[in-house]
Amino acid sequence: MAEMFSRLTMFRIGWRGVKLSRKVTNAAASAQTQRRYSTDVCERDRSLFGLLFDIDGVLVRGRTPIPAAKQCFRNLVDGDGKYKVPVVFVTNAGNSLRETKAEQLSHLLEVEVSADQVVLSHSPLRVFTQFHDLCVLVSGQGPVVEVAHNVGFKNVVTIDMLREANPLLDVVDHNRRPKDMIPPSKDLPPIDAVVLFGEPIRWETNLQLITDVLLTNGRPGNPVTSLHYPHIPVLACNMDLLWMAEAKNPRFGHGMFLVCLESIYKKITGCELKYEALIGKPSVVTYNYAELLIRKQAEQLGWTRPVERLYAIGDNPMADIYGANLYNRYLKAMLHTRAQVQAQGGSSSQVTSDLQCEVSDDAKHSGRVMVGGSFDHRLPEGCSSILVCTGVYNHDQQDLPSDPEQTVTEQQIFHGHRDFRFDPSLTQPSFVVHDVRDGVELVFQLEGWSLQ
């Protein structure tokens, strides 16, 4: 892992506005099938690929498996339960450990899923070692302390710990205010950074105390005497505005909490809340981390050639499709830069430091996203995006246009994060299918593999 992320570069991305292309690429699928499909292709001549699965809206709705998912995964393993190709689950959920999520998936899908196959929104924080020794305030729900320690943070303060140490800070709920005598504040170390794992339960408490920490430069018990700006570092995981559970309509996600925090901070200070990193889909660092796990699985399967292509299957155009397409652009840029450097006689080690992609030059507020990568291994040629209609995007509610050149106004209002501006080409899925089983069958057909 150290080798994979030894060279980190800054990748600026953005978007604005939104329209999702609904062009169903049947012609492209047919052409690729004609080029690649063969039932008697030799194992050593097969193209090698890996699968990236979103979870909510693709495999499950809340705790209920989507019917097509079980059959899909029965086809993905052989008689011994061994996966036929590398499989990684990439989710923006983050209120649990990878081991817990793997156990849940194993139960729901009725196949063995290991923790090494799971990328949660916070998983890439393992490579942010420059923050691991700092005192960090963590926000979210579930085992946030255990999660923080698991990804490398050593000095962790929770919202509850901060509230108990400073009982006068949280007074929205009258029943939680101190009664009678005002208890004295307890000493806590100054907060050096804030890590936002996911949506909390008591939004008003977390919003108030995080704002206090930012305004006081990490010392929320002190009065605000001047504006500390830039404020202490903020790292946020999971930018999903909405997500799909059992309800008929999408539910608020952590992205909605971030909208509230950003709005509050700007209203109070007149300044933009700044992020040291935005992690989780659609950020490239998340896909780089997933590619590392795909590569390790390929080695465990005994593959001696590198994975050539990745296919990312998701239901959320603003997270899954945008992220997969952004990663595909990143892969193309890396491969192009490598070819240029090698043609000029340069060493591959200088490529990552030389590569800085500015997707939108006129970004007014661009998000800073950490991107890992190394040229010590061969990168995949690309990453194709597959949109399913069982989650956030639902073709029963958004009909396909009769003209395939038209676009679907699936979201008239931009639902991505503030620091990501819209790029229309990144919201266009490579393929649109009904459900995950159709998506996997399509991939195997395109690659000339049999699911039987």
Side-chain angles (χ1 to χ4, degrees), residues 224-279:
V224 178
T225 57
S226 61
L227 177 62
H228 299 277
Y229 195 81
H231 51 69
I232 62 175
V234 178
L235 297 87
C237 309
N238 182 1
M239 295 162 274
D240 286 354
L241 190 76
L242 303 167
W243 68 288
M244 201 68 192
E246 291 96 340
K248 296 186 182 300
N249 296 306
R251 304 291 86 195
F252 289 171
H254 191 220
M256 196 72 74
F257 179 82
L258 299 181
V259 169
C260 297
L261 181 62
E262 293 157 9
S263 181
I264 290 170
Y265 186 82
K266 185 169 185 179
K267 190 70 174 179
I268 292 175
T269 67
C271 300
E272 297 282 357
L273 180 70
K274 300 290 185 181
Y275 294 96
E276 188 69 23
L278 292 167
I279 307 164

Side-chain angles (χ1 to χ4, degrees), residues 74-89:
R74 279 195 289 267
N75 293 337
L76 275 175
V77 297
D78 61 21
D80 297 324
K82 182 179 178 181
Y83 286 89
K84 298 175 182 178
V85 298
V87 168
V88 168
F89 302 88

